[in-house]
Amino acid sequence: RVVVAASRELSPVWPFLIVGASLILMQSGGSLKRFFPPSSTGLAADRKRQIAAFMRTIHTDTKSSAEASSKMRMKAVTFDLDDTVWKGFETLQNAHANMFRWLEENTPKTAEKYDSNGFRKLMGSMREKHPSIAHNFTALRKKALEVAFEETGYEVKENVENAFNAFITARNDVLLYDDSLRAVKALRDRGMIVGAITNGNADVWETKQMGELFDFAIKAEDAGKPKPSKEPFEIAVACCREVLKDVEAAHPSEEPTAGSLGWNVVESEIMHVGDCLRSDVHGAKQAGFFAIWINRGANGGKSLGTREGVETKPDFVVRGLDEIAAKL
């Protein structure tokens, strides 16, 4: 069951929102806990105060213009990770190379039979053979390693874990864009709830510097489906509400009173930032989020309306993450 922040004035659609989020979580494993820091017992007191102050600002804002009101209504931001917060291609290349160094040193017959391109083809065949885990890059890589070790006569279980550990250690050693730390921290320091929604398998909590900036992180392999499916975005909404429940419990006397949903957050109050028009922009828009496309010069001259076969246009286009705070 999903426990969400209550309000003294509930919207008529609120029960249906609860049921919908509950069904999504049941399908993906039934608990929000795995989307929060593994050692966390809840938000730190300073973080709760920070979010509470921001929520009060939103609900007591007296600006009259529709534009100002719209800007102030954004309560949360979610980020794609690969090619948005960090350099996905370079990070993956380094991780793949690190795994192959381990193979060459420990299982040379495997490295000889499956060079880098050969192993990628093997992973592709695993995706076709096991469509139920096509979104789970951890499971796919381990399946491919199992086959490779079996075919080359090595013990499977221990070698799979060791080879994958070589990969994921380097996968989590991410190469950040110059603006990432500064931009994410700026939004967090405002008091916005900050989350990640990624189709990749990097563990944000294991990355240097970035993990401490996120309140929650959703990987496709944990959500059960990848973006642009609605499930990861709906889980993000549930995570935001869980954060607000935690904040409200610590600051009950500071509950915002304006608006019909009080401490709640709805989809239109969450903005999602990503580099992929299909996974991020289309996924966010169909889930009801405010969509920001980050295009670091990779448009290729194609129309926003047709790139990657997606007709949905983003609400904002930015060239760097620093531009986001300036637009709020």
Side-chain angles (χ1 to χ4, degrees), residues 271-298:
M271 59 183 181
H272 178 70
V273 185
D275 71 293
C276 180
L277 283 171
R278 180 181 297 279
S279 295
D280 295 306
V281 173
H282 177 61
K285 294 288 281 185
Q286 73 171 352
F289 284 35
F290 189 90
I292 299 179
W293 182 44
I294 182 165
N295 174 18
R296 297 182 185 271

Side-chain angles (χ1 to χ4, degrees), residues 111-292:
E112 184 178 354
K113 180 169 183 177
Y114 288 101
D115 61 11
S116 183
N117 288 332
F119 188 82
R120 287 191 176 93
K121 290 179 181 178
L122 181 59
M123 281 193 66
S125 69
M126 292 298 101
R127 185 179 293 109
E128 294 177 1
K129 188 175 181 179
H130 304 281
S132 64
I133 59 170
H135 63 284
N136 189 330
F137 292 111
T138 294
L140 285 174
R141 186 168 291 269
K142 287 184 174 182
K143 283 282 187 185
L145 285 167
E146 286 177 11
V147 171
F149 290 136
E150 286 172 355
E151 290 183 353
T152 51
Y154 290 104
E155 192 278 332
V156 173
K157 186 175 181 180
E158 184 176 353
N159 282 321
V160 165
E161 291 306 314
N162 289 336
F164 182 76
N165 284 341
F167 170 83
I168 201 66
T169 298
R171 180 75 168 95
N172 292 332
D173 188 15
V174 296
L175 302 173
L176 296 175
Y177 289 106
D178 292 340
D179 57 3
S180 296
L181 276 172
R182 181 175 61 249
V184 176
K185 187 175 186 301
L187 295 173
R188 178 185 173 88
D189 287 349
R190 280 174 177 254
M192 295 183 75
I193 300 168
V194 179
I197 309 177
T198 178
N199 285 349
N201 60 351
D203 187 344
V204 72
W205 314 121
E206 295 295 328
T207 62
K208 296 176 182 177
Q209 300 177 294
M210 290 306 301
E212 63 189 27
L213 298 181
F214 288 90
D215 297 308
F216 63 88
I218 300 163
K219 293 189 286 187
E221 61 189 55
D222 293 327
K225 287 188 178 180
K227 299 173 295 181
S229 301
K230 289 185 178 181
E231 283 82 351
F233 295 98
E234 290 173 329
I235 291 172
V237 176
C239 286
C240 288
R241 291 172 180 160
E242 187 72 8
V243 168
L244 286 181
K245 183 196 75 171
D246 200 9
V247 172
E248 183 185 19
H251 299 272
S253 63
E254 300 172 7
E255 180 179 358
T257 56
S260 62
L261 294 177
W263 280 93
N264 183 39
V265 59
V266 296
E267 289 81 355
S268 60
E269 297 171 325
I270 305 172
M271 59 183 181
H272 178 70
V273 185
D275 71 293
C276 180
L277 283 171
R278 180 181 297 279
S279 295
D280 295 306
V281 173
H282 177 61
K285 294 288 281 185
Q286 73 171 352
F289 284 35
F290 189 90
I292 299 179

